[in-house]
Amino acid sequence: MPSHDFRAPRLFIDAPLAQDARVPLDRDQSNYLGNVLRLAAGAEVLAFNGRDGEWQAAIEGRKRPDGLVILQQTRPQDRLADLTYVFAPLKHARLDYMVQKAIEMGAASLQPVLTRYTQASRVNTERMRANVVEAAEQCGILSIATVSEPVPLERYLSQRPADRLLIFCDEAADIQNPIQSLQDAREAGQGIDVLIGPEGGFAEEERALLLRQPSILRLALGPRIMRADTAAVAALALVQAVLGDWGGKTA
C-alpha cells in the first residue's frame, strides 16, 4: 500500500487530473494557499478529485497562486466499501462533527432521514458536502462520499434495496455483544446501511416499521446512552471492524 504524505497540503480539485495538466484554482483555494499557508509559485501540494487518484502538483501564479500544474501520481484511485450512513440530522456544529467523523470512518454515502423527533427541520446539504471534502483533504482520503437530500424515514425505507443489510442501532434493543451480533449477520454482499436515530430516539411506530424491514440487524451499542454523534462513531467502528474494510473485507 503506498505511504501517505501528511506533510504536504492536500486540495480537492473538481477537474480531470493527469500528468502535465494545468488546472485553475478557485478564489478560496488561492487564498488558502497564498494567504493562509504562505505558499508561492513552485511550492508543491497534493491534488485529488475522487476519480483519478492523488497527484503531486506545483503551484503556478505570479502575484498569487492561480493554478496547478500536475506532475506525477502519488497514489492510484481506491474504492470505498459500500457503506451508507443513514441518520437523523442534528443542529449546526454537531452535524458538522458527525459528517466529518462518518467520512473518516469510511462511509461512502450519507443519507439524512427525517423522523418524528428529528431536531433539525432544515438541512444544509451544501455545508455537508463541504465537510465531506474537508475531511477527505485532511485525512488522506481519495474518494468523495455522496451526500443525498433528506427524505422522511418512511420514504427512505420504501425505496432502499431489500437485499442491503440494514443495521438499525436501537437504544431499546436488548443489551448483547454487538461484535457477536455483527458476526452472526449474513455476509453483506449487496452493501450495508447503518442507521442512527435522533437524540430523542425513534417513535414506537417508527421502530415497528423498522423491525418489519427485510435484511435487518437490530444492534445495541452497549449499556450507556450515547449522543447521536457519539453513537455514529461507535457504530461505524464496529461495522468496519467486523463487516467492513478494517479487516481487509469490502462490503
Side-chain angles (χ1 to χ4, degrees):
M1 177 179 179
S3 60
H4 293 44
D5 181 356
F6 288 109
R7 294 180 299 236
R10 297 181 79 244
L11 283 182
F12 173 73
I13 302 293
D14 192 12
L17 300 177
Q19 190 167 356
D20 298 326
R22 282 176 161 78
V23 294
L25 296 171
D26 63 31
R27 178 177 297 182
D28 289 341
Q29 292 169 330
S30 176
N31 178 69
Y32 173 66
L33 294 179
N35 297 328
V36 178
L37 298 183
R38 304 289 184 182
L39 298 178
E44 293 185 354
V45 299
L46 297 174
F48 70 107
N49 61 6
R51 305 183 299 274
D52 301 321
E54 181 184 76
W55 293 77
Q56 189 179 37
I59 296 174
E60 293 186 313
R62 292 185 177 180
K63 294 184 178 180
R64 62 180 178 84
D66 58 21
L68 299 177
V69 57
I70 307 303
L71 303 177
Q72 62 182 353
Q73 190 177 63
T74 54
R75 287 190 288 160
Q77 185 62 42
D78 61 9
R79 183 177 66 86
L80 292 171
D82 187 2
L83 175 62
T84 297
Y85 176 53
V86 187
F87 60 97
L90 302 174
K91 293 182 179 179
H92 307 303
R94 290 182 59 200
L95 178 60
D96 293 344
Y97 172 88
M98 188 167 64
V99 169
Q100 292 164 4
K101 299 312 162 190
I103 298 308
E104 292 177 37
M105 300 299 292
S109 58
L110 305 179
Q111 175 61 71
V113 293
L114 304 177
T115 70
R116 176 184 291 187
Y117 301 127
T118 296
Q119 293 182 347
S121 58
R122 300 179 63 183
V123 181
N124 187 338
T125 52
E126 286 305 311
R127 183 182 177 111
M128 287 176 57
R129 292 185 181 97
N131 276 296
V132 167
V133 169
E134 181 180 353
E137 287 178 334
Q138 293 180 351
C139 296
I141 297 169
L142 296 181
S143 298
I144 299 297
T146 60
V147 177
S148 299
E149 293 297 322
V151 295
L153 176 65
E154 294 82 358
R155 186 188 307 171
Y156 157 72
L157 292 174
S158 68
Q159 294 176 347
R160 66 180 299 274
D163 55 358
R164 291 180 65 86
L165 178 62
L166 176 59
I167 298 176
F168 165 34
C169 299
D170 185 6
E171 71 277 6
D174 293 336
I175 302 300
Q176 297 179 359
N177 184 337
I179 294 176
Q180 187 62 54
S181 297
L182 289 166
Q183 289 173 336
D184 291 341
R186 68 172 178 81
E187 290 294 320
Q190 301 302 318
I192 302 172
D193 297 336
V194 178
L195 173 62
I196 299 285
E199 293 286 274
F202 289 101
E204 284 307 312
E205 62 270 22
E206 292 171 336
R207 181 175 286 105
L209 177 62
L210 282 162
L211 294 177
R212 292 198 298 268
Q213 301 303 305
S215 304
I216 188 166
L217 171 62
R218 190 182 187 191
L219 193 68
L221 294 178
R224 286 166 291 279
I225 298 298
M226 300 178 185
R227 297 193 336 180
D229 45 350
T230 307
V233 177
L236 289 169
L238 286 166
V239 171
Q240 287 286 45
V242 180
L243 298 177
D245 59 14
W246 285 13
K249 298 165 62 178
T250 56

